[in-house]
Coordinates of all heavy atoms in Angstrom, one line a residue:
F322 N -21.8 0.4 14.5 CA -20.8 1.3 14.7 C -19.5 0.7 15.1 O -18.4 0.9 14.6 CB -21.1 2.4 15.7 CG -22.1 3.4 15.1 CD1 -23.4 3.5 15.3 CD2 -21.6 4.4 14.3 CE1 -24.2 4.5 14.9 CE2 -22.3 5.4 13.7 CZ -23.7 5.4 14.1
R323 N -19.5 -0.2 16.1 CA -18.3 -1.0 16.6 C -17.7 -1.7 15.4 O -16.5 -1.7 15.3 CB -18.7 -1.8 17.7 CG -18.9 -1.2 19.0 CD -19.1 -2.2 20.1 NE -19.5 -1.4 21.4 CZ -20.2 -1.7 22.2 NH1 -21.0 -2.8 22.0 NH2 -20.4 -1.0 23.3
V324 N -18.5 -2.5 14.7 CA -18.0 -3.3 13.5 C -17.4 -2.4 12.5 O -16.3 -2.6 11.9 CB -19.1 -4.1 12.9 CG1 -18.6 -4.8 11.6 CG2 -19.5 -5.2 13.9
A325 N -18.0 -1.2 12.2 CA -17.5 -0.3 11.2 C -16.2 0.3 11.7 O -15.2 0.3 10.9 CB -18.5 0.7 10.9
W326 N -15.9 0.6 12.9 CA -14.7 1.2 13.4 C -13.7 0.1 13.5 O -12.5 0.4 13.2 CB -14.9 2.0 14.7 CG -15.6 3.2 14.5 CD1 -16.9 3.6 14.9 CD2 -15.3 4.3 13.8 NE1 -17.2 4.8 14.5 CE2 -16.3 5.4 13.8 CE3 -14.0 4.7 13.0 CZ2 -16.2 6.5 13.2 CZ3 -14.0 5.9 12.4 CH2 -15.0 6.9 12.5
L327 N -14.0 -1.1 13.8 CA -13.1 -2.2 13.8 C -12.6 -2.4 12.4 O -11.3 -2.7 12.2 CB -13.6 -3.5 14.4 CG -13.8 -3.4 15.9 CD1 -14.5 -4.7 16.4 CD2 -12.4 -3.3 16.6
V328 N -13.5 -2.5 11.4 CA -13.0 -2.6 10.1 C -12.1 -1.5 9.6 O -11.0 -1.7 9.0 CB -14.2 -2.7 9.1 CG1 -13.8 -2.6 7.6 CG2 -15.0 -3.9 9.3
A329 N -12.4 -0.2 10.0 CA -11.6 0.9 9.7 C -10.2 0.7 10.3 O -9.1 1.0 9.8 CB -12.1 2.2 10.1
A330 N -10.1 0.3 11.5 CA -8.9 0.0 12.2 C -8.1 -1.0 11.6 O -6.9 -0.9 11.5 CB -9.2 -0.3 13.8
A331 N -8.7 -2.1 11.2 CA -8.0 -3.3 10.5 C -7.5 -2.8 9.1 O -6.3 -3.1 8.8 CB -9.0 -4.4 10.4
L332 N -8.2 -2.0 8.4 CA -7.7 -1.5 7.1 C -6.5 -0.5 7.4 O -5.6 -0.6 6.6 CB -8.9 -0.8 6.4 CG -9.9 -1.6 5.9 CD1 -11.0 -0.9 5.3 CD2 -9.4 -2.7 4.8
S333 N -6.6 0.3 8.4 CA -5.5 1.3 8.7 C -4.2 0.4 9.1 O -3.1 0.6 8.7 CB -5.8 2.1 9.9 OG -6.9 2.9 9.5
A334 N -4.4 -0.7 9.9 CA -3.3 -1.5 10.3 C -2.7 -2.2 9.0 O -1.4 -2.3 8.8 CB -3.7 -2.5 11.3
A335 N -3.5 -2.7 8.1 CA -3.1 -3.4 6.9 C -2.3 -2.4 6.1 O -1.3 -2.7 5.4 CB -4.2 -3.9 6.1
T336 N -2.7 -1.1 5.9 CA -2.0 -0.1 5.1 C -0.7 0.2 5.8 O 0.2 0.4 5.0 CB -3.0 1.2 5.1 OG1 -4.2 0.9 4.5 CG2 -2.3 2.3 4.2
A337 N -0.6 0.3 7.0 CA 0.6 0.5 7.7 C 1.7 -0.6 7.4 O 2.9 -0.3 7.2 CB 0.5 0.7 9.2
V338 N 1.2 -1.9 7.5 CA 2.1 -3.1 7.2 C 2.5 -2.9 5.7 O 3.7 -3.1 5.4 CB 1.3 -4.3 7.4 CG1 2.1 -5.5 6.9 CG2 1.0 -4.5 8.9
V339 N 1.6 -2.6 4.7 CA 2.0 -2.5 3.3 C 3.1 -1.4 3.0 O 4.0 -1.6 2.4 CB 0.8 -2.4 2.5 CG1 1.2 -2.0 0.9 CG2 -0.1 -3.6 2.4
G340 N 2.8 -0.2 3.8 CA 3.7 0.8 3.7 C 5.1 0.5 4.3 O 6.2 0.9 3.6
A341 N 5.1 -0.3 5.4 CA 6.4 -0.6 6.0 C 7.2 -1.7 5.0 O 8.4 -1.6 4.8 CB 6.2 -1.3 7.2
R342 N 6.4 -2.6 4.4 CA 7.1 -3.4 3.5 C 7.6 -2.8 2.2 O 8.7 -3.1 1.7 CB 6.1 -4.6 3.0 CG 5.7 -5.5 4.2 CD 5.0 -6.7 3.8 NE 5.9 -7.5 2.9 CZ 5.9 -8.8 2.8 NH1 5.1 -9.4 3.6 NH2 6.6 -9.4 2.0
I343 N 6.9 -1.8 1.7 CA 7.3 -1.1 0.5 C 8.5 -0.3 0.9 O 9.5 -0.3 0.1 CB 6.2 -0.2 0.0 CG1 5.1 -1.0 -0.6 CG2 6.7 0.8 -1.0 CD1 3.9 -0.2 -1.0
T344 N 8.5 0.3 2.1 CA 9.8 1.2 2.5 C 11.0 0.2 2.6 O 12.1 0.6 2.2 CB 9.4 1.8 3.8 OG1 8.3 2.6 3.6 CG2 10.5 2.6 4.3
R345 N 10.8 -1.0 3.2 CA 11.8 -1.9 3.4 C 12.4 -2.4 2.1 O 13.6 -2.4 1.8 CB 11.5 -3.1 4.3 CG 11.7 -2.8 5.6 CD 11.7 -4.1 6.5 NE 10.6 -3.9 7.3 CZ 9.6 -4.8 7.6 NH1 9.6 -5.9 6.9 NH2 8.6 -4.4 8.4
A346 N 11.5 -2.7 1.1 CA 11.9 -3.1 -0.2 C 12.6 -2.0 -1.0 O 13.7 -2.3 -1.6 CB 10.6 -3.5 -1.1
A347 N 12.2 -0.8 -0.8 CA 12.9 0.3 -1.5 C 14.3 0.5 -0.9 O 15.2 0.8 -1.7 CB 12.0 1.6 -1.4
T348 N 14.4 0.4 0.3 CA 15.7 0.5 1.0 C 16.6 -0.5 0.6 O 17.8 -0.3 0.3 CB 15.5 0.5 2.5 OG1 14.6 1.5 2.9 CG2 16.8 0.6 3.2
R349 N 16.2 -1.7 0.5 CA 17.0 -2.9 -0.1 C 17.5 -2.6 -1.4 O 18.6 -2.8 -1.9 CB 16.2 -4.2 0.1 CG 16.3 -4.8 1.5 CD 15.8 -6.2 1.3 NE 14.4 -6.1 1.0 CZ 13.4 -6.7 1.8 NH1 13.7 -7.3 2.9 NH2 12.3 -6.5 1.5
T350 N 16.5 -2.1 -2.3 CA 16.9 -1.9 -3.7 C 17.9 -0.8 -3.8 O 18.9 -0.9 -4.5 CB 15.6 -1.5 -4.4 OG1 14.6 -2.5 -4.4 CG2 15.9 -1.1 -5.9
R351 N 17.8 0.2 -3.0 CA 18.8 1.4 -3.0 C 20.2 0.8 -2.5 O 21.2 1.2 -3.1 CB 18.4 2.5 -2.0 CG 17.5 3.5 -2.8 CD 17.3 4.7 -2.0 NE 15.9 4.9 -1.8 CZ 15.3 4.7 -0.6 NH1 16.0 4.7 0.5 NH2 14.0 4.9 -0.6

Side-chain angles (χ1 to χ4, degrees):
F322 279 104
R323 286 187 181 138
V324 170
W326 288 113
L327 286 174
V328 168
L332 290 173
S333 296
T336 302
V338 169
V339 169
R342 291 188 68 144
I343 289 172
T344 301
R345 272 194 241 129
T348 302
R349 275 190 294 237
T350 301
R351 271 190 242 119

